[in-house]
Amino acid sequence: MADATYTPPEVWTHDAENGGRFANINRPTAGAREQQQLPVGEHDFQLYSLATPNGVKATVMFEELLEAGYADAEYDAWTINIGEGHQFGSGFVDLNPNSKIPTLLDRSGKEPVRVFESGAILMHLAEKFGAFLPTDHSRAEVLSWLFWQVGSAPFIGGGFGHFYAYAPEKYEYPINRYAMETKRLFDVADQRLAQTEFLGGQDYTIADIATFPWLAPFVFGGIYGEARTFLSIHEYENVERWVQQIAARPAVRRGRIVNKAWGEEDEQLLERHSAADFAGKKY
């Protein structure tokens, strides 16, 4: 049955009372809403994030670098509670005018460098350390899959996730529209992973680090309620093989709990300043 017809007004205006779950923070304007300095630790890399799929990309990347022996990749990770609007503090906005996590401050060079957008952070770190991004002919393939993920995430999160799980009312058309696109994206990945071990080829790269946090929760059933059943995620056997393989990596297991602010307390690590912070945690 079709949803009730909506006729857009001639000029759109913001209705804060009809914004759903995130109405308290969503506005059609950018910029800082309050003066708020960011904490700063001792390491060259300062990460401001939350363990959402996009945030997990950055923490997994750091943990993978450390696991691979790049000691200079030590980092401080600070939790930015986006539900409470911490991303609109002046200190955060100075680093990321788009007010999204994750955001990185790299102080390893002569001048501090801000890096925002998760894909940019992965590329920045991969190029700085010469890891998880090939320099031969396969580089283009890896970057293609990286940008495929970055471009696809809004369809899964702001599209399917929003209308299926977060919207104040359920509407058939947008749920169907974004369920179809989410399943198509899973099929793209599934067909690719039927041909190769990893998305970029036979090596684990930033393409996998970027994509894993978005696809894995559907495989494990930990995102958007009953989405795993609703989307028949069990059909994508190659994706599941790939997810299980990556989920077993020690660095991934650690990275997934950094800046996590929900669930069991022993599965959360709100701040991360050294490897010792994982002591007593389940990951």
Side-chain angles (χ1 to χ4, degrees):
M1 183 175 68
D3 299 320
T5 300
Y6 166 69
T7 302
E10 182 177 358
V11 177
W12 182 86
T13 57
H14 178 221
D15 181 4
E17 295 182 358
N18 193 31
R21 177 172 172 177
F22 304 105
N24 63 319
I25 58 171
N26 286 340
R27 301 178 190 176
T29 56
R33 299 178 187 174
E34 61 181 345
Q35 293 296 312
Q36 186 178 64
Q37 290 187 332
L38 290 173
V40 179
E42 65 179 35
H43 298 301
D44 285 341
F45 298 102
Q46 301 296 303
L47 181 68
Y48 304 94
S49 190
L50 188 69
T52 66
N54 282 334
V56 167
K57 296 177 191 178
T59 50
V60 166
M61 181 64 174
F62 273 115
E63 293 299 327
E64 288 284 13
L65 288 168
L66 292 168
E67 186 79 12
Y70 296 96
D72 290 344
E74 275 292 352
Y75 69 108
D76 294 289
W78 307 91
T79 294
I80 300 296
N81 192 322
I82 59 177
E84 296 181 4
H86 294 172
Q87 68 274 34
F88 300 111
S90 58
F92 190 90
V93 174
D94 285 345
L95 294 184
N96 187 344
N98 195 36
S99 293
K100 302 289 184 181
I101 59 92
T103 292
L104 175 67
L105 179 63
D106 177 356
R107 307 182 299 176
S108 63
K110 292 182 178 180
E111 297 291 336
V113 175
R114 72 178 188 183
V115 191
F116 58 92
E117 293 297 322
S118 58
I121 291 173
L122 294 182
M123 280 196 65
H124 178 78
L125 294 173
E127 291 178 339
K128 176 174 284 289
F129 290 98
F132 304 113
L133 177 59
T135 57
D136 61 11
H137 67 281
S138 63
R139 176 185 175 90
E141 185 75 18
V142 171
L143 292 180
S144 293
W145 285 105
L146 172 65
F147 285 96
W148 168 80
Q149 188 285 313
V150 171
S152 299
F155 293 98
I156 298 176
F160 174 75
H162 177 78
F163 287 105
Y164 181 74
Y166 300 138
E169 297 178 5
K170 304 295 185 187
Y171 291 106
E172 181 179 5
Y173 177 80
I175 290 175
N176 286 343
R177 168 70 178 87
Y178 290 111
M180 178 177 66
E181 181 63 10
T182 299
K183 285 183 66 66
R184 189 191 71 81
L185 293 168
F186 264 83
D187 198 41
V188 170
D190 199 66
Q191 291 190 39
R192 171 61 176 171
L193 292 168
Q195 303 168 343
T196 60
E197 185 173 1
F198 298 104
L199 287 172
Q202 297 310 308
D203 295 321
Y204 176 72
T205 68
I206 56 174
D208 304 289
I209 294 173
T211 307
F212 170 83
W214 277 101
L215 302 192
F218 286 91
V219 171
F220 294 134
I223 196 170
Y224 306 140
E226 299 301 318
R228 174 180 165 85
T229 300
F230 181 72
L231 296 175
S232 300
I233 297 299
H234 68 277
E235 297 174 346
Y236 307 105
E237 296 179 358
N238 299 302
V239 171
E240 181 159 5
R241 182 270 304 167
W242 170 85
V243 162
Q244 296 290 354
Q245 182 177 356
I246 293 176
R249 296 175 68 91
V252 173
R253 289 162 50 199
R254 293 195 301 271
R256 293 181 75 187
I257 73 166
V258 177
N259 298 138
K260 187 178 179 185
W262 54 87
E264 298 296 326
E265 186 174 349
D266 60 359
E267 297 176 353
Q268 301 177 23
L269 189 60
L270 294 179
E271 295 182 11
R272 188 270 187 214
H273 305 291
S274 75
D277 294 332
F278 291 100
K281 299 293 182 179
K282 292 172 58 178
Y283 57 89

